[in-house]
Amino acid sequence: IDEIEALSSIYGEDWCVVDEDEKIYCIKISDCLDQPKWTLCLQVILPPGYPTAEPPIYQLNAPWLRGQEYTELANSLEEIYVQNLGESILYLWVEKIREVLIEKAQSSDPEPDIKKNSEEVDEDDGDFLLEYESIQEDSIKTLNYMTSESQEDEELPPIHHGNPITDRRSTFQAHLAPVVTTRQVKRVLEKLYENKKIASATHNIYAYRIYCEDKQTFLQDCEDDGETAAGGRLLHLMQILNVHNVLVVVSRWYGGILLGPDRFKHINNCARNILVE
């Protein structure tokens, strides 16, 4: 409790309580410049055994944070936890992330080409608007580093469309395709974006899980597309349902009325319905 009160006073508006009972918090971290170039959102859940026996459960949200950069930053946080076993470490984590962002800002890394923002930011919701989010084309580009070097076009899997859910003029619709390679994921996304209505959606959130038999591990990833943390929640739903070899995309057309946390309920309900179907 003392740590939470201290962090709240240190970080002010950048600190947000997502769920007090479940001890879920969000911290928006930037590179300290007057006009931040690099921003990241750290979401943490403090389990009952924290800090003496359990580490925080965390998620790093930033559209530019991929692959090796994500792994290196996650490893740094886990190293800090190991070096400070039994102690409160959130402040150390936040400042480590800020240090990484400052290094990126001072290096020659190009600014992220980001143009899309979430339509909704509501204080009671606890979901931070990142200062930038990825556009749909970037969603496809992020898969390029993972796809096979082979230029052979794999067969486009069948795409299923779920029943839309409409609430206060916002509409949500899920799309699903069976996939076994990241190249198929890329092809399905490209095919969906050929549809002008889907391409014009305010957000196209997606997640996929591919089971690799040889390694007995999952290849999985997600994309918020401007709706902070929505992709991670969608992927978490798929993990709970233990689905294999599937891509789920949820399109949301914003209707001008803020839905608050209800929007996440609709995104997950759309996804759950099409998975069950």
Side-chain angles (χ1 to χ4, degrees), residues 3-266:
E3 181 183 18
I4 296 307
E5 286 181 358
L7 292 169
S8 175
S9 62
I10 291 168
Y11 297 115
E13 291 180 359
D14 291 336
W15 171 268
C16 183
V17 178
V18 177
D19 189 323
E20 187 68 68
D21 294 336
E22 297 295 325
K23 293 190 167 51
I24 305 174
Y25 307 96
C26 222
I27 310 109
K28 188 174 76 170
I29 309 161
S30 64
D31 54 29
C32 286
L33 299 174
D34 291 336
Q35 295 182 317
K37 190 161 101 170
W38 300 97
T39 305
L40 182 150
C41 188
L42 170 68
Q43 185 168 316
V44 292
I45 302 172
L46 302 182
Y50 174 82
T52 52
E54 290 181 87
I57 299 161
Y58 69 93
Q59 184 173 320
L60 301 166
N61 293 317
W64 51 266
L65 191 62
R66 297 279 171 191
Q68 189 177 352
E69 271 195 305
Y70 187 101
T71 305
E72 286 176 1
L73 184 52
N75 287 344
S76 296
L77 300 188
E78 279 149 31
E79 197 175 305
I80 289 170
Y81 171 72
V82 170
Q83 289 170 350
N84 299 272
L85 282 175
E87 297 176 26
S88 300
I89 56 162
L90 290 187
Y91 178 77
L92 295 176
W93 275 13
V94 173
E95 291 311 307
K96 175 62 183 177
I97 292 168
R98 194 184 308 283
E99 185 184 306
V100 169
L101 297 180
I102 290 170
E103 281 176 14
K104 282 183 73 63
Q106 291 173 345
S107 73
S108 57
D109 286 359
E111 280 193 54
D113 178 22
I114 310 292
K115 299 170 187 171
K116 188 170 193 174
N117 290 331
S118 170
E119 294 288 341
E120 298 199 26
V121 186
D122 18 13
E123 291 173 11
D124 61 325
D125 181 341
D127 289 299
F128 274 105
L129 164 64
L130 295 184
E131 308 238 325
Y132 43 75
E133 288 294 351
S134 59
I135 55 175
Q136 288 157 354
E137 289 78 2
D138 285 345
S139 306
I140 295 171
K141 286 174 192 168
T142 58
L143 290 165
N144 286 340
Y145 79 94
M146 298 170 65
T147 52
S148 160
E149 289 181 11
S150 164
Q151 294 303 308
E152 290 178 28
D153 277 340
E154 296 188 31
E155 186 179 349
L156 177 70
I159 301 173
H160 308 278
H161 305 281
N163 294 320
I165 294 175
T166 300
D167 179 13
R168 285 164 279 178
R169 300 210 301 263
S170 275
T171 299
F172 302 80
Q173 185 181 25
H175 322 280
L176 179 149
V179 292
V180 291
T181 66
T182 53
R183 190 165 191 81
Q184 284 186 325
V185 172
K186 183 169 177 281
R187 286 213 62 199
V188 171
L189 291 172
E190 287 171 339
K191 184 66 177 175
L192 284 172
Y193 295 147
E194 285 175 14
N195 180 307
K196 288 183 180 177
K197 185 180 177 188
I198 294 172
S200 68
T202 316
H203 310 290
N204 281 302
I205 301 127
Y206 73 76
Y208 64 86
R209 295 187 87 216
I210 297 169
Y211 185 64
C212 307
E213 290 265 357
D214 53 341
K215 298 176 185 172
Q216 295 190 328
T217 56
F218 280 94
L219 180 60
Q220 55 188 25
D221 200 4
C222 58
E223 171 59 52
D224 296 339
D225 194 33
E227 190 66 282
T228 306
R233 293 175 191 218
L234 177 57
L235 180 57
H236 185 58
L237 171 71
M238 294 167 71
Q239 290 167 338
I240 291 169
L241 297 176
N242 196 27
V243 296
H244 294 199
N245 301 334
V246 68
L247 163 71
V248 177
V249 181
V250 179
S251 302
R252 187 227 177 151
W253 292 268
Y254 177 61
I257 299 171
L258 298 177
L259 302 188
D262 283 351
R263 66 193 191 272
F264 297 108
K265 180 180 72 179
H266 295 323

